[in-house]
Amino acid sequence: MSAYNRGTELDLSWISKIQVNHPAVLRRAEQIQARRTVKKEWQAAWLLKAVTFIDLTTLSGDDTSSNIQRLCYKAKYPIREDLLKALNMHDKGITTAAVCVYPARVCDAVKALKAAGCNIPVASVATGFPAGQTHLKTRLEEIRLAVEDGATEIDVVINRSLVLTGQWEALYDEIRQFRKACGEAHLKTILATGELGSLTNVYKASMIAMMAGSDFIKTSTGKETVNATFPVAIVMLRAIRDFFWKTGNKIGFKPAGGIRSAKDSLAWLSLVKEELGDEWLKPELFRIGASTLLSDIERQIYHHVTGRYAAYHDLPMS
């Protein structure tokens, strides 16, 4: 991943002027959902590209070192090798973009990836994930410990109450402290958009997060009632575009939560391509947070190669 975002000064005059045109956003979202997807060879190519954007994730209370090891193996070998050979893609080094785990499992992930002989980044959630309702001192320490254990990307959650009560300066200051605690690790800021109340708040929170030094803005924890949706994504992507036009800094985007099918992943790739352009379609600027998506992508690749759908036992667990 490229050099991290050092942030800018807080510009509250910019924040105060923001107003989102809700009906226009919904119309744009409907266009994306109604569009026909690509087919055959084009679809296979786009699905393999989608694999390289996945932050392969496990965030369960019953995570153990053995299933972290399995996750890391799947991150290195996301698609069965015989399927890649059939597509002449076996020597292209296709892996997922990262693995994402709880802070206590970072050591397990680092160890497993080292044993597998690959340098896939380890991302850790932090700052009282998923609610963000712990003391600031505790949240900052959680970041530092994850970085010490070898995490090179930190997915932090914001304190939603600061957005809902319009405390933009406090939100900026908090994320600045997260940025400092990350050191050289990259900062991905989860906005938990389903709990922010309005699309205008989503835009403002996106802008504050970028001003404060976030390398990525991320839709959701995956634990909210409403996770990644197209209306929210459109607002966040346009905030990223506006920030780029104003500062020259490219900030990444990560939808997460509820993205389970290969067809879903293609729609997300199309949206990013149309809103931000091809230069954002690389792992340094686009990620998909998912735990089950990879299984469906591999199933669709299997169908493309063999002409039939895989039985459950045909594909290794992810």
Side-chain angles (χ1 to χ4, degrees):
M1 203 185 274
S2 54
Y4 62 77
N5 172 26
R6 298 186 184 278
T8 65
E9 294 295 317
L10 177 62
D11 185 353
L12 287 175
S13 64
W14 189 3
I15 299 299
S16 64
K17 294 172 192 168
I18 292 164
Q19 197 63 48
V20 172
N21 184 337
H22 197 270
V25 170
L26 295 182
R27 281 196 301 274
R28 175 75 176 110
E30 284 168 9
Q31 285 176 353
I32 291 290
Q33 287 164 300
R35 185 164 300 138
R36 292 186 58 159
T37 187
V38 290
K39 300 291 183 185
K40 298 188 177 176
E41 289 83 4
W42 294 104
Q43 185 182 78
W46 275 85
L47 289 177
L48 289 177
K49 194 169 183 68
V51 169
T52 67
F53 299 135
I54 294 175
D55 279 1
L56 193 59
T57 302
T58 181
L59 296 168
S60 301
D62 58 357
D63 285 340
T64 63
S65 58
S66 60
N67 75 303
I68 297 297
Q69 194 173 359
R70 192 167 68 235
L71 183 88
C72 292
Y73 185 86
K74 188 65 179 172
K76 185 180 180 184
Y77 303 106
I79 306 293
R80 239 173 55 177
E81 191 172 1
D82 60 317
L83 301 178
L84 291 175
K85 279 183 177 174
L87 297 168
N88 199 28
M89 294 294 286
H90 57 287
D91 57 352
K92 298 295 188 287
I94 292 173
T95 68
T96 67
V99 296
C100 184
V101 296
Y102 274 121
R105 303 260 72 100
V106 169
C107 280
D108 292 333
V110 170
K111 185 178 175 183
L113 288 168
K114 189 176 180 182
C118 66
N119 56 359
I120 296 170
V122 176
S124 172
V125 296
T127 65
F129 180 95
Q133 293 282 12
T134 52
H135 289 294
L136 179 59
K137 186 177 178 182
T138 308
R139 285 183 281 156
L140 292 170
E141 187 63 15
E142 196 172 30
I143 294 172
R144 293 187 197 103
L145 291 171
V147 172
E148 277 177 26
D149 286 344
T152 54
E153 302 177 9
I154 304 294
D155 289 35
V156 302
V157 287
I158 63 167
N159 182 342
R160 278 72 114 188
S161 68
L162 298 178
V163 176
L164 295 170
T165 55
Q167 297 182 66
W168 304 114
E169 199 165 345
L171 179 63
Y172 175 86
D173 290 342
E174 191 171 273
I175 298 172
R176 287 299 288 173
Q177 290 184 68
F178 295 162
R179 165 78 277 163
K180 187 177 178 184
C182 282
E184 295 299 312
H186 286 84
L187 173 65
K188 307 211 283 287
T189 300
I190 306 169
L191 304 180
T193 54
E195 297 175 352
L196 296 188
S198 71
L199 291 178
T200 298
N201 275 349
V202 169
Y203 187 102
K204 290 180 177 182
S206 299
M207 200 57 71
I208 292 287
M210 292 185 285
M211 289 177 183
S214 303
D215 299 298
F216 270 73
I217 51 175
K218 178 177 169 182
T219 59
S220 324
T221 64
K223 309 288 187 184
E224 294 97 60
T225 312
V226 179
N227 292 292
T229 66
F230 289 128
V232 155
I234 289 162
V235 170
M236 292 174 70
L237 289 168
R238 293 193 179 175
I240 288 171
R241 188 170 66 189
D242 291 348
F243 188 77
F244 173 63
W245 284 347
K246 190 175 175 73
T247 68
N249 292 337
K250 292 178 182 173
I251 306 302
F253 173 65
K254 179 178 173 180
I259 304 172
R260 296 188 179 90
S261 73
K263 187 178 177 183
D264 288 343
S265 71
L266 295 176
W268 284 100
L269 264 68
S270 292
L271 179 60
V272 171
K273 179 181 169 69
E274 288 177 20
E275 291 290 330
L276 295 176
D278 287 336
E279 58 196 306
W280 255 266
L281 283 181
K282 54 186 180 181
E284 292 82 10
L285 291 169
F286 178 53
R287 300 287 181 85
I288 300 172
S291 52
T292 59
L293 170 63
L294 181 55
S295 297
D296 193 56
I297 290 178
E298 190 172 22
R299 192 166 169 265
Q300 297 302 326
I301 296 288
Y302 184 98
H303 180 265
H304 175 74
V305 169
T306 67
R308 61 186 178 83
Y309 282 108
Y312 181 76
H313 58 266
D314 284 329
L315 299 174
M317 289 176 67
S318 59

